[in-house]
Short mmCIF file of all heavy atoms in Angstrom, two decimals:
data_model
loop_
_atom_site.label_atom_id
_atom_site.label_comp_id
_atom_site.label_asym_id
_atom_site.label_seq_id
_atom_site.Cartn_x
_atom_site.Cartn_y
_atom_site.Cartn_z
N ILE A 31 190.85 135.09 154.59
CA ILE A 31 191.23 133.77 155.07
C ILE A 31 192.63 133.78 155.68
O ILE A 31 192.95 133.02 156.58
CB ILE A 31 191.14 132.71 153.95
CG1 ILE A 31 191.31 131.29 154.52
CG2 ILE A 31 192.17 132.99 152.87
CD1 ILE A 31 190.28 130.87 155.50
N GLY A 33 193.87 136.45 157.19
CA GLY A 33 193.87 137.36 158.32
C GLY A 33 194.72 138.60 158.13
O GLY A 33 195.20 139.19 159.08
N GLU A 36 195.23 144.36 156.28
CA GLU A 36 196.00 145.50 155.81
C GLU A 36 196.25 145.43 154.30
O GLU A 36 196.56 146.45 153.67
CB GLU A 36 197.33 145.62 156.57
CG GLU A 36 198.35 144.53 156.27
CD GLU A 36 198.13 143.28 157.09
OE1 GLU A 36 197.13 143.23 157.83
OE2 GLU A 36 198.96 142.36 156.99
N LEU A 41 190.64 147.87 148.70
CA LEU A 41 189.34 147.23 148.43
C LEU A 41 188.25 147.66 149.40
O LEU A 41 187.06 147.48 149.11
CB LEU A 41 189.48 145.71 148.49
CG LEU A 41 190.43 145.05 147.50
CD1 LEU A 41 190.47 143.55 147.75
CD2 LEU A 41 190.00 145.35 146.07
N SER A 43 186.56 150.66 151.95
CA SER A 43 186.48 152.08 152.26
C SER A 43 186.91 152.34 153.70
O SER A 43 186.63 151.55 154.60
CB SER A 43 185.05 152.58 152.06
OG SER A 43 184.88 153.88 152.58
N GLY A 59 184.14 152.05 160.46
CA GLY A 59 185.51 152.39 160.10
C GLY A 59 186.42 151.19 159.90
O GLY A 59 186.34 150.19 160.62
N LEU A 68 191.94 141.28 163.72
CA LEU A 68 193.20 140.88 164.35
C LEU A 68 192.93 140.04 165.59
O LEU A 68 193.61 139.04 165.86
CB LEU A 68 194.02 142.12 164.73
CG LEU A 68 195.36 141.86 165.42
CD1 LEU A 68 196.29 141.06 164.51
CD2 LEU A 68 196.02 143.19 165.82
N SER A 71 192.03 136.67 164.41
CA SER A 71 193.21 136.00 163.86
C SER A 71 194.10 135.44 164.96
O SER A 71 194.71 134.38 164.80
CB SER A 71 194.01 136.97 162.98
OG SER A 71 193.26 137.39 161.88
N PHE A 74 191.85 132.34 166.34
CA PHE A 74 191.50 131.23 165.46
C PHE A 74 192.50 131.07 164.33
O PHE A 74 192.87 132.04 163.66
CB PHE A 74 190.11 131.46 164.84
CG PHE A 74 188.98 131.34 165.82
CD1 PHE A 74 188.47 132.46 166.44
CD2 PHE A 74 188.43 130.11 166.13
CE1 PHE A 74 187.44 132.37 167.35
CE2 PHE A 74 187.40 130.00 167.03
CZ PHE A 74 186.89 131.14 167.64
N HIS A 78 190.39 126.88 156.18
CA HIS A 78 189.80 126.75 154.85
C HIS A 78 188.54 127.60 154.77
O HIS A 78 187.74 127.64 155.69
CB HIS A 78 189.46 125.28 154.58
CG HIS A 78 188.75 125.06 153.28
ND1 HIS A 78 189.38 125.22 152.07
CD2 HIS A 78 187.48 124.69 153.01
CE1 HIS A 78 188.52 124.95 151.10
NE2 HIS A 78 187.37 124.63 151.64
N VAL A 93 177.09 136.57 149.28
CA VAL A 93 177.99 135.42 149.34
C VAL A 93 177.51 134.44 150.42
O VAL A 93 177.27 134.84 151.57
CB VAL A 93 179.44 135.83 149.67
CG1 VAL A 93 180.36 134.61 149.57
CG2 VAL A 93 179.91 136.94 148.76
N LEU A 105 190.47 134.33 172.93
CA LEU A 105 189.51 135.17 172.22
C LEU A 105 189.09 136.33 173.11
O LEU A 105 188.56 136.12 174.20
CB LEU A 105 188.28 134.35 171.81
CG LEU A 105 187.17 135.11 171.07
CD1 LEU A 105 187.69 135.62 169.73
CD2 LEU A 105 185.96 134.22 170.87
N ALA A 124 177.88 131.01 156.89
CA ALA A 124 177.43 132.39 156.92
C ALA A 124 176.88 132.86 155.58
O ALA A 124 177.15 132.27 154.53
CB ALA A 124 178.59 133.30 157.33
N MET A 125 176.11 133.93 155.67
CA MET A 125 175.71 134.69 154.49
C MET A 125 176.12 136.14 154.72
O MET A 125 175.84 136.71 155.78
CB MET A 125 174.21 134.62 154.24
CG MET A 125 173.79 135.43 153.00
SD MET A 125 172.02 135.40 152.66
CE MET A 125 171.45 136.54 153.93
N TYR A 128 177.61 142.42 150.67
CA TYR A 128 178.54 143.55 150.53
C TYR A 128 177.94 144.59 149.59
O TYR A 128 177.40 144.24 148.54
CB TYR A 128 179.88 143.08 149.93
CG TYR A 128 180.62 142.07 150.76
CD1 TYR A 128 180.39 140.70 150.57
CD2 TYR A 128 181.56 142.46 151.72
CE1 TYR A 128 181.07 139.76 151.33
CE2 TYR A 128 182.24 141.51 152.47
CZ TYR A 128 181.99 140.17 152.27
OH TYR A 128 182.68 139.22 153.01
N LEU A 160 187.28 120.43 184.42
CA LEU A 160 186.71 119.44 185.33
C LEU A 160 187.80 118.66 186.07
O LEU A 160 188.82 118.29 185.50
CB LEU A 160 185.82 118.46 184.56
CG LEU A 160 184.51 119.03 184.02
CD1 LEU A 160 183.81 117.99 183.16
CD2 LEU A 160 183.60 119.48 185.16
N GLN A 173 183.79 100.15 182.19
CA GLN A 173 183.11 98.94 181.73
C GLN A 173 182.18 99.26 180.55
O GLN A 173 182.08 98.49 179.60
CB GLN A 173 182.31 98.32 182.88
CG GLN A 173 183.18 97.73 183.98
CD GLN A 173 182.36 97.20 185.14
OE1 GLN A 173 181.15 97.06 185.04
NE2 GLN A 173 183.04 96.93 186.25
N ILE A 175 182.43 101.49 178.26
CA ILE A 175 183.09 101.86 177.01
C ILE A 175 183.10 100.69 176.02
O ILE A 175 183.00 100.87 174.81
CB ILE A 175 184.54 102.36 177.27
CG1 ILE A 175 185.18 102.87 175.99
CG2 ILE A 175 185.38 101.28 177.89
CD1 ILE A 175 184.52 104.05 175.39
N TYR A 176 183.16 99.46 176.54
CA TYR A 176 183.23 98.30 175.67
C TYR A 176 181.86 97.92 175.10
O TYR A 176 181.77 97.04 174.24
CB TYR A 176 183.84 97.12 176.43
CG TYR A 176 185.26 97.41 176.87
CD1 TYR A 176 185.55 97.69 178.20
CD2 TYR A 176 186.30 97.43 175.95
CE1 TYR A 176 186.85 97.98 178.60
CE2 TYR A 176 187.60 97.73 176.34
CZ TYR A 176 187.86 97.99 177.67
OH TYR A 176 189.14 98.29 178.05
N LYS A 183 180.27 106.11 169.58
CA LYS A 183 181.54 106.78 169.89
C LYS A 183 181.72 108.02 169.01
O LYS A 183 182.23 109.04 169.47
CB LYS A 183 182.70 105.82 169.70
CG LYS A 183 182.78 104.71 170.74
CD LYS A 183 183.95 103.78 170.46
CE LYS A 183 184.02 102.65 171.47
NZ LYS A 183 185.13 101.71 171.18
N HIS A 188 181.72 114.04 168.72
CA HIS A 188 181.15 115.31 168.25
C HIS A 188 180.60 116.11 169.43
O HIS A 188 180.71 117.35 169.46
CB HIS A 188 180.05 115.05 167.22
CG HIS A 188 180.58 114.75 165.86
ND1 HIS A 188 181.04 115.73 165.01
CD2 HIS A 188 180.75 113.57 165.20
CE1 HIS A 188 181.46 115.18 163.88
NE2 HIS A 188 181.30 113.88 163.98
N GLU A 197 174.03 119.62 164.45
CA GLU A 197 175.31 119.76 163.76
C GLU A 197 175.96 118.39 163.53
O GLU A 197 176.53 118.12 162.47
CB GLU A 197 176.24 120.66 164.57
CG GLU A 197 175.81 122.11 164.59
CD GLU A 197 176.60 122.95 165.58
OE1 GLU A 197 177.12 122.39 166.58
OE2 GLU A 197 176.71 124.17 165.38
N ARG A 207 167.02 112.71 164.91
CA ARG A 207 166.51 111.71 165.86
C ARG A 207 167.46 110.53 166.02
O ARG A 207 167.60 109.98 167.12
CB ARG A 207 165.13 111.23 165.41
CG ARG A 207 164.03 112.28 165.55
CD ARG A 207 162.68 111.73 165.22
NE ARG A 207 161.62 112.72 165.41
CZ ARG A 207 160.33 112.48 165.20
NH1 ARG A 207 159.95 111.28 164.79
NH2 ARG A 207 159.44 113.43 165.39
N THR A 208 168.13 110.14 164.93
CA THR A 208 169.09 109.04 165.01
C THR A 208 170.25 109.40 165.92
O THR A 208 170.69 108.60 166.75
CB THR A 208 169.61 108.66 163.62
OG1 THR A 208 168.51 108.23 162.81
CG2 THR A 208 170.64 107.55 163.70
N GLU A 210 170.21 111.64 168.32
CA GLU A 210 169.69 111.69 169.69
C GLU A 210 169.58 110.29 170.29
O GLU A 210 169.86 110.08 171.47
CB GLU A 210 168.32 112.38 169.70
CG GLU A 210 168.39 113.89 169.54
CD GLU A 210 168.77 114.58 170.83
OE1 GLU A 210 167.88 114.77 171.68
OE2 GLU A 210 169.96 114.91 170.99
N HIS A 212 171.45 107.64 169.44
CA HIS A 212 172.80 107.16 169.73
C HIS A 212 173.32 107.74 171.04
O HIS A 212 173.94 107.03 171.85
CB HIS A 212 173.75 107.53 168.59
CG HIS A 212 173.59 106.68 167.36
ND1 HIS A 212 173.53 105.31 167.40
CD2 HIS A 212 173.50 107.02 166.04
CE1 HIS A 212 173.39 104.83 166.18
NE2 HIS A 212 173.36 105.85 165.34
N GLU A 227 176.49 114.60 182.67
CA GLU A 227 177.36 113.52 183.18
C GLU A 227 177.97 112.75 182.02
O GLU A 227 179.12 112.31 182.10
CB GLU A 227 176.58 112.57 184.08
CG GLU A 227 177.50 111.53 184.72
CD GLU A 227 176.78 110.51 185.56
OE1 GLU A 227 175.56 110.65 185.78
OE2 GLU A 227 177.45 109.54 186.01
N PHE A 229 178.87 113.95 179.18
CA PHE A 229 180.00 114.76 178.71
C PHE A 229 181.20 114.55 179.63
O PHE A 229 182.33 114.34 179.16
CB PHE A 229 179.61 116.24 178.68
CG PHE A 229 180.59 117.11 177.93
CD1 PHE A 229 180.28 117.59 176.68
CD2 PHE A 229 181.83 117.43 178.49
CE1 PHE A 229 181.20 118.39 175.98
CE2 PHE A 229 182.73 118.22 177.80
CZ PHE A 229 182.41 118.69 176.55
N ILE A 241 188.42 106.52 173.72
CA ILE A 241 187.50 106.86 172.62
C ILE A 241 188.17 107.94 171.77
O ILE A 241 189.08 108.63 172.22
CB ILE A 241 186.13 107.36 173.11
CG1 ILE A 241 186.26 108.57 174.05
CG2 ILE A 241 185.38 106.24 173.79
CD1 ILE A 241 184.94 109.17 174.43
#
Side-chain angles (χ1 to χ4, degrees):
I31 189 62
E36 70 275 5
L41 299 178
S43 169
L68 179 61
S71 297
F74 290 95
H78 176 69
V93 186
L105 179 64
M125 180 180 76
Y128 299 90
L160 290 174
Q173 291 176 13
I175 185 64
Y176 298 105
K183 290 179 182 178
H188 281 282
E197 291 171 334
R207 290 185 178 181
T208 299
E210 285 281 279
H212 284 313
E227 186 183 354
F229 192 106
I241 56 174

